[in-house]
Amino acid sequence: MVEAQSRMETHTIIAYMFIAALIGFGIDKLMLLIESILLRWKAD
């Protein structure tokens, strides 16, 4: 990513940002699923 920044490859930087966002979103959903499974006893 640093190499793309130094070369001013905007499309590559945006693609990396999009991939990072998707990974973050996936991790968030996975953690919510794990929480709902492990904490079934917790009242909402």
Side-chain angles (χ1 to χ4, degrees), residues 5-24:
Q5 286 176 328
S6 65
R7 293 184 183 180
M8 301 297 285
E9 296 177 2
T10 307
H11 61 282
T12 304
I13 296 169
I14 291 172
Y16 283 138
M17 289 170 54
F18 186 71
I19 290 169
L22 287 177
I23 291 170

